[in-house]
Amino acid sequence: MKKLLSVIFVFFVGSVMVAQTTISGTIKEAKTEQPIPGANIKVVGKSIGTTTDFDGNFSLTVTQNPPFTIAVSLIGFTTVKVEITQNNQKVNVSLEESATALDEVIVSASRTPERILESPVSIEHMDVRAIRNTSSPSFYDGLENLKGVDVNTNSLTFKSINTRGFATFANTRFMQLVDGMDNSSPALNFNLGNLLGMSELDINSIELLPGASSALYGANAFNGILFMTSKNPFDSEGISTYVKTGLTSQKAAGDNNFTDVGIRMAHKFSDKFAAKASFSFLRGTDWYATDYEDYANPGATRDDPNYDGLNIYGDEVSTSLNFEEIALANGVPAFIASTMGATTVSRTGYKEVDLMDYVAQSAKVDISLNYRPFDNNVEISYNAKFGKGSTIYQGANRYSIKNFFMQQHKLEVKGDNFFVRGYITDEDAGDSFDSRFAAINLNRRWKSDVQWFTEYAGAYVQTYVGTILAGGTPDPNAIHQQARAFAQTGALVPGTAAFNEALDQVTSDPNLATGAKFQDRTKIYHGDVNYNFRDIIDFADVQVGGSWRQYSLNSSGTIFTDYDGPINYNEYGIYMQTQKKFVDDRLKFTGSIRYDKAKNFDGNYSPRLSVSYSLGEGKTRNLRASIQTGFRNPTTQDQYIGLDAGRAILIGSAPDNLDRYTSAPQAVSGTGQFLGFPASVQLTGRDAYENAFSLSSVLAGAPEKANFDYVKPERVTAFEVGYRAGFGKLALDISAYYNQYQDFIGNKTVLVPYYGQADFSDIHPVVQLPNALIALGNGDYKPFQIYTNSSADISSYGGTFGLTTKVFGGYSFGINYTYAKLDFNQASDPDYEAGFNTPENKVKVSFGNASVTENLGFMVNVRWSDVYLWQSSFVDTMVDARTVVDAQVSYSVPSFKSTFKIGGANLGGKEYISAPGVGSIGSQYYVSWTINP
């Protein structure tokens, strides 16, 4: 025991007596002589370092004897190296601002550090300074000011980012990686913006790759990929906090307060161990959705018997009432009954504003424990992210996402040349519900559909006949309103205790036949590995890697067909990249290839080739060209959904999914029953793919059997050329692309007859017509939305132009233009909706100065978007052109280590929408106080 204690004592004393060198000093901006907070100080060749505090001061202690070199750097400034020759050396450095942003270093384009100027593909970047100076209410909103980037606003807390067309709120074509983790919802397969993302205090850098990136990042890196990287506690210590408050202003919702607060704490306990924790919380009122237009019958109001308002739900439930037949069956003389005709009538629905509380909320927690066991740049980290929030999501229906919870846990080992990481994503849908089914089943709680339509028909016939018998002339419109009023007797009235109680019961019930709640506890298990052979291979930069993922679908049958337990399936991929420079490092060649395999689908190869050439004496101009491929695996919903969405049943096409789904009983018409068919039938998923009519053929009056294949991966081949150049303080970036798609994934609507064969192979013995044709004539069919691929040739093309410079001394000015165009012949696939959903032309302008005076700064952003067509399963219509102005003024108080900011978004006040059906976006005003930014 004594020997053991002696060994421990010697080890401890030896460890604390290791030679230490301390360096301290101040980092300032050369032009203004103002201190620079957040500047990085690192020992060259080591992962040891620190950052400056709010006053630009730093202190660094290392277990290394002089001489050695430190590098002082910050994005937007030129790096300065200083030789350390003695202990307790004072280092005072003035950093010169970079002439342009093209010298900034990015990683995502090639998975290796390189200047933006030399990136082989298009890339957008947002550094710490841009995040601090953004005029938008949040850094995530500020991404919309980047060149070629579209941000579609679903909710105050849910913004969907996209590039190069085909935008949706369920954007499964665009990836978002937060500290290397895909933070998309495991069940939905798309990210919820920054609802569950990262605090602005912890953001270190943001990089965005527009277009296909599957060669390095695998499936779904199709339209683009966003990288958000947080600050490392070894490099960024201290406590930072912010408080932001203000109001949102909208005609429908009025003026409402919002609050956004956050704190970040990080500490380096030693050269080996550091930790951080951050927390942020936002709460406000969402944008009210109040579009009551009936897009299938423009100009109609509730006075129309079959009115179906966009943001009114429950009025989708309709039936055809043949008043003539009803009247004859009740003894009304034929000469009166023959004048009544037949009409489709819908139930009276509820407005969305009566169903949702419009609370927008987001709470995020991020914890990281970082350990460096050796002095060889190896770091082991555990990272946990927790997010809980409430928002609104618009898909086939409008969903109130309430108390949605998602957590991620990651364990990672990384060094200069490699990383190995594994993480799990786990979600809980909380109290989320489908607003359409909430309204439908609220109506059914106080009166069944059969009773309501029976009362409506009876009241109509009685009033019609009574008017004639009284010597009057029937007014069908007035009689319809009287019949509706009679059928509505006993209706639940919004705002009453009875209505609120019934709404709570419906939204807590996961059975869509009686409720609206959707359940989900789906998980993702994911692993990544990468190794760069730079220390082994000299002739080129060679790296290899791979990934593996398993989905575990667990919705208890409310979304997927997982009625009897979770559905598990996996996918994996491997890749290799070689990068080589020639001609005095001016010519750079990059070649990549990746192989991916997923259950239910054949393997897929994704190659990428790019070449760039640097011009000029200082290599300040660069030409680039690339050919790259991308692919997108069908999502969890494309494969395994089984959901009656009201207007249609959504059914995934995985082979083992088709027979698992069985619909609720579908009532057969009286005529159908008279001809000998059963009173009700149940349909399977297989019926949708093997015994259905295409919608287009039925609408054309010539019904044909649908013949759509099961869904398979979608592919794109992307061709891109570009030019970047720095001319002193002016930076220029121009690019053009052409995308050619194959097997484009999308929805097709088919009509499944309740009886008969869609190929007309069975004939009714009495009527002598095909049974399925009789079913169509009787309205005995159910729409299904199936997931398949388009055989049409679909392509898109476009380009961007961006210019940034300094004017009037230190003022930053930028302007960019984006062009995007879809090339698709609708006649080649009449059943397919491409859903490009992107303005053809966009212009964005920025003007500002972070240091107008010693502590005063400002930024103004102006964005203009062209008119465009929005297509979705919710509604199709045109979206108006818009101009939006955001601005902020900031003031720093160094003595309090504080920055104050006042600003606003959409200062013009003209409300706009990014898609039909969402709430109109009004103005947002804010004031913030940040300590130790």
Side-chain angles (χ1 to χ4, degrees):
M1 185 65 180
K2 290 182 178 180
K3 289 183 179 180
L4 178 60
L5 290 174
S6 298
V7 170
I8 294 174
F9 177 78
V10 170
F11 177 80
F12 176 77
V13 172
S15 63
V16 299
M17 292 180 66
V18 170
Q20 292 184 329
T21 303
T22 299
I23 317 138
S24 60
T26 303
I27 311 301
K28 295 183 177 181
E29 186 176 352
K31 181 180 178 181
T32 63
E33 287 297 311
Q34 292 298 307
I36 299 179
N40 301 301
I41 295 90
K42 278 195 172 185
V43 177
V44 175
K46 304 287 183 180
S47 59
I48 302 168
T50 187
T51 57
T52 55
D53 61 20
F54 190 83
D55 298 316
N57 299 319
F58 76 93
S59 178
L60 175 65
T61 300
V62 299
T63 57
Q64 185 172 349
N65 288 320
F68 56 87
T69 304
I70 63 169
V72 182
S73 65
L74 182 66
I75 292 173
F77 293 87
T78 56
T79 298
V80 174
K81 293 184 178 180
V82 179
E83 185 77 11
I84 303 302
T85 59
Q86 60 184 13
N87 188 22
N88 296 318
Q89 184 172 331
K90 297 293 183 182
V91 177
N92 297 313
V93 175
S94 295
L95 294 182
E96 297 280 354
E97 188 174 0
S98 301
T100 70
L102 298 179
D103 289 325
E104 296 176 8
V105 176
I106 49 92
V107 177
S108 57
S110 303
R111 283 193 184 268
T112 190
E114 59 191 350
R115 292 192 304 162
I116 291 178
L117 184 69
E118 298 174 341
S119 169
V121 294
S122 291
I123 187 167
E124 296 299 316
H125 183 248
M126 197 172 183
D127 59 32
V128 174
R129 292 185 306 160
I131 292 168
R132 291 173 182 161
N133 294 331
T134 182
S135 60
S136 302
S138 73
F139 79 89
Y140 202 85
D141 293 353
L143 295 172
E144 191 168 9
N145 296 314
L146 297 178
K147 180 172 71 274
V149 176
D150 295 298
V151 175
N152 295 300
T153 300
N154 209 342
S155 158
L156 187 68
T157 50
F158 180 9
K159 314 293 174 67
S160 179
I161 295 176
N162 191 61
T163 61
R164 299 188 177 178
F166 305 103
T168 71
F169 293 119
N171 196 355
T172 56
R173 290 182 169 90
F174 189 91
M175 286 185 69
Q176 180 170 289
L177 298 182
V178 179
D179 283 334
M181 293 185 285
D182 181 353
N183 80 329
S184 61
S185 160
L188 301 175
N189 291 153
F190 59 86
N191 67 78
L192 299 175
N194 201 41
L195 177 70
L196 308 168
M198 190 175 288
S199 166
E200 64 182 60
L201 291 173
D202 201 28
I203 286 283
N204 185 55
S205 69
I206 298 174
E207 298 176 15
L208 190 149
L209 289 176
S213 304
S214 294
L216 288 180
Y217 296 101
N220 305 333
F222 199 76
N223 266 32
I225 183 168
L226 176 70
F227 303 82
M228 291 195 288
T229 305
S230 67
K231 298 173 182 176
N232 190 305
F234 276 108
D235 302 326
S236 299
E237 294 186 81
I239 299 177
S240 302
T241 186
Y242 73 89
V243 177
K244 187 183 301 179
T245 188
L247 60 86
T248 55
S249 180
Q250 185 200 28
K251 292 177 183 177
D255 295 340
N256 296 281
N257 293 328
F258 77 92
T259 302
D260 183 6
V261 298
I263 186 171
R264 177 186 185 271
M265 299 173 288
H267 184 65
K268 186 174 73 171
F269 295 90
S270 68
D271 290 340
K272 293 184 179 295
F273 180 69
K276 70 173 181 179
S278 66
F279 169 78
S280 63
F281 177 81
L282 181 149
R283 183 180 175 91
T285 301
D286 228 319
W287 307 115
Y288 283 22
T290 56
D291 186 348
Y292 304 134
E293 178 72 24
D294 184 345
Y295 285 90
N297 187 17
T301 66
R302 183 62 276 179
D303 293 340
D304 186 288
N306 193 31
Y307 171 72
D308 181 8
L310 187 62
N311 290 130
I312 297 177
Y313 314 123
D315 53 2
E316 303 84 4
V317 178
S318 64
T319 192
S320 178
L321 296 178
N322 191 321
F323 298 116
E324 180 180 353
E325 288 185 359
I326 295 170
L328 289 172
N330 286 275
V332 176
F335 75 93
I336 296 178
S338 63
T339 63
M340 293 185 183
T343 305
T344 299
V345 175
S346 65
R347 289 201 67 168
T348 303
Y350 291 101
K351 295 179 178 179
E352 180 178 297
V353 295
D354 296 324
L355 302 171
M356 297 189 185
D357 59 17
Y358 287 108
V359 172
Q361 186 169 291
S362 172
K364 297 186 283 281
V365 176
D366 189 318
I367 299 170
S368 181
L369 305 176
N370 299 60
Y371 179 62
R372 293 175 176 173
F374 318 111
D375 192 18
N376 62 352
N377 302 329
V378 174
E379 183 171 321
I380 303 171
S381 62
Y382 165 74
N383 185 207
K385 297 180 186 294
F386 304 90
K388 187 174 184 179
S390 297
T391 188
I392 297 171
Y393 158 58
Q394 180 172 302
N397 297 337
R398 294 265 292 170
Y399 300 89
S400 176
I401 308 297
K402 294 187 66 176
N403 300 320
F404 183 92
F405 176 76
M406 191 166 82
Q407 58 180 321
Q408 293 186 294
H409 299 270
K410 178 185 71 171
L411 186 62
E412 181 175 33
V413 181
K414 65 179 180 180
D416 287 344
N417 299 335
F418 76 94
F419 67 78
V420 179
R421 75 168 68 101
Y423 63 88
I424 180 175
T425 304
D426 183 11
E427 70 181 9
D428 185 340
D431 302 312
S432 304
F433 66 90
D434 183 324
S435 61
R436 192 183 306 279
F437 276 95
I440 289 173
N441 289 319
L442 269 175
N443 267 338
R444 291 171 177 168
R445 273 186 174 261
W446 64 269
K447 190 173 290 184
S448 71
D449 294 339
V450 172
Q451 182 182 352
W452 192 92
F453 286 115
T454 299
E455 291 181 3
Y456 189 108
Y460 185 92
V461 171
Q462 184 177 353
T463 306
Y464 194 99
V465 173
T467 301
I468 293 178
L469 294 179
T473 301
D475 179 355
N477 290 332
I479 296 174
H480 273 297
Q481 293 179 45
Q482 293 175 51
R484 182 171 298 278
F486 180 78
Q488 282 293 107
T489 302
L492 293 167
V493 179
T496 63
F499 175 88
N500 293 335
E501 181 181 358
L503 180 61
D504 288 342
Q505 292 173 352
V506 167
T507 56
S508 300
D509 181 358
N511 183 352
L512 292 185
T514 54
K517 178 184 175 69
F518 66 86
Q519 297 175 312
D520 180 51
R521 294 298 303 269
T522 296
K523 296 181 175 67
I524 286 177
Y525 303 90
H526 187 95
D528 286 310
V529 61
N530 176 276
Y531 187 82
N532 192 308
F533 290 90
R534 68 167 65 99
D535 290 340
I536 301 174
I537 299 175
D538 294 331
F539 70 89
D541 186 289
V542 179
Q543 55 182 308
V544 298
S547 64
W548 173 88
R549 173 174 293 191
Q550 177 175 289
Y551 292 91
S552 182
L553 311 182
N554 186 12
S555 72
S556 301
T558 61
I559 301 174
F560 306 108
T561 58
D562 51 355
Y563 312 109
D564 53 359
I567 299 172
N568 297 314
Y569 72 96
N570 57 59
E571 57 192 36
Y572 64 88
I574 55 175
Y575 63 87
M576 177 179 181
Q577 175 177 279
T578 299
Q579 193 172 79
K580 175 68 174 176
K581 292 184 177 181
F582 304 91
V583 193
D584 190 28
D585 289 347
R586 292 180 179 271
L587 178 66
K588 182 166 71 174
F589 166 85
T590 305
S592 312
I593 189 166
R594 182 181 176 109
Y595 173 79
D596 286 88
K597 177 71 175 71
K599 180 185 176 183
N600 300 327
F601 308 110
D602 295 333
N604 184 79
Y605 288 95
S606 303
R608 179 178 82 167
L609 296 174
S610 67
V611 62
S612 64
Y613 189 81
S614 297
L615 305 168
E617 183 178 349
K619 301 178 184 178
T620 57
R621 291 169 288 150
N622 184 274
L623 290 167
R624 67 183 187 277
S626 65
I627 302 174
Q628 51 188 329
T629 56
F631 77 100
R632 182 170 77 92
N633 279 332
T635 66
T636 54
Q637 295 186 49
D638 295 343
Q639 299 180 67
Y640 289 104
I641 196 170
L643 175 66
D644 188 337
R647 291 176 174 172
I649 295 174
L650 312 182
I651 186 72
S653 73
D656 56 344
N657 191 59
L658 302 183
D659 295 321
R660 253 201 312 261
Y661 179 80
T662 302
S663 74
Q666 308 292 312
V668 174
S669 67
T671 303
Q673 295 179 52
F674 176 77
L675 292 174
F677 298 107
S680 66
V681 298
Q682 288 182 286
L683 307 174
T684 69
R686 191 167 296 280
D687 291 329
Y689 285 87
E690 298 181 4
N691 189 44
F693 297 102
S694 65
L695 176 62
S696 61
S697 68
V698 173
L699 294 177
E704 291 183 357
K705 182 180 179 180
N707 184 25
F708 298 123
D709 293 329
Y710 300 156
V711 71
K712 57 186 177 182
E714 174 182 331
R715 295 175 174 83
V716 62
T717 302
F719 305 87
E720 180 183 320
V721 294
Y723 174 72
R724 294 189 188 94
F727 303 98
K729 296 181 178 180
L730 186 147
L732 187 66
D733 192 349
I734 305 171
S735 67
Y737 67 90
Y738 177 81
N739 292 339
Q740 193 169 39
Y741 298 90
Q742 182 182 356
D743 299 323
F744 208 94
I745 295 175
N747 294 114
K748 299 288 181 71
T749 300
V750 298
L751 306 179
V752 177
Y754 291 169
Y755 41 85
Q757 298 299 309
D759 61 0
F760 298 146
S761 60
D762 57 338
I763 308 297
H764 194 277
V766 177
V767 183
Q768 290 298 304
L769 289 172
N771 289 328
L773 189 61
I774 296 172
L776 289 177
N778 291 333
D780 287 339
Y781 59 85
K782 182 68 178 181
F784 275 72
Q785 276 197 358
I786 64 173
Y787 296 82
T788 186
N789 303 83
S790 174
S791 59
D793 292 328
I794 300 175
S795 59
S796 67
Y797 55 91
T800 60
F801 168 87
L803 182 150
T804 59
T805 188
K806 291 292 181 71
V807 296
F808 311 127
Y811 290 81
S812 299
F813 172 79
I815 183 170
N816 64 72
Y817 167 74
T818 302
Y819 177 78
K821 184 73 173 179
L822 172 68
D823 186 4
F824 170 54
N825 181 7
Q826 187 71 60
S828 65
D829 192 347
D831 290 296
Y832 183 72
E833 278 192 345
F836 193 61
N837 300 343
T838 301
E840 188 169 318
N841 301 284
K842 295 189 295 288
V843 177
K844 303 174 184 180
V845 179
S846 65
F847 182 68
N849 189 336
S851 302
V852 177
T853 62
E854 185 173 333
N855 300 314
L856 181 69
F858 78 97
M859 176 59 71
V860 179
N861 292 98
V862 182
R863 299 182 299 275
W864 174 83
S865 295
D866 207 352
V867 63
Y868 59 99
L869 172 65
W870 184 275
Q871 295 177 310
S872 70
S873 56
F874 191 73
V875 68
D876 298 348
T877 193
M878 299 298 294
V879 175
D880 293 336
R882 61 180 181 264
T883 301
V884 179
V885 179
D886 300 345
Q888 64 87 5
V889 176
S890 61
Y891 187 78
S892 297
V893 184
S895 59
F896 292 103
K897 300 183 179 181
S898 297
T899 298
F900 297 90
K901 183 190 290 188
I902 183 170
N906 191 21
L907 293 177
K910 184 177 180 181
E911 296 181 6
Y912 66 93
I913 59 171
S914 56
V918 302
S920 295
I921 302 165
S923 299
Q924 186 173 1
Y925 308 96
Y926 65 90
V927 58
S928 68
W929 175 17
T930 305
I931 301 174
N932 271 338

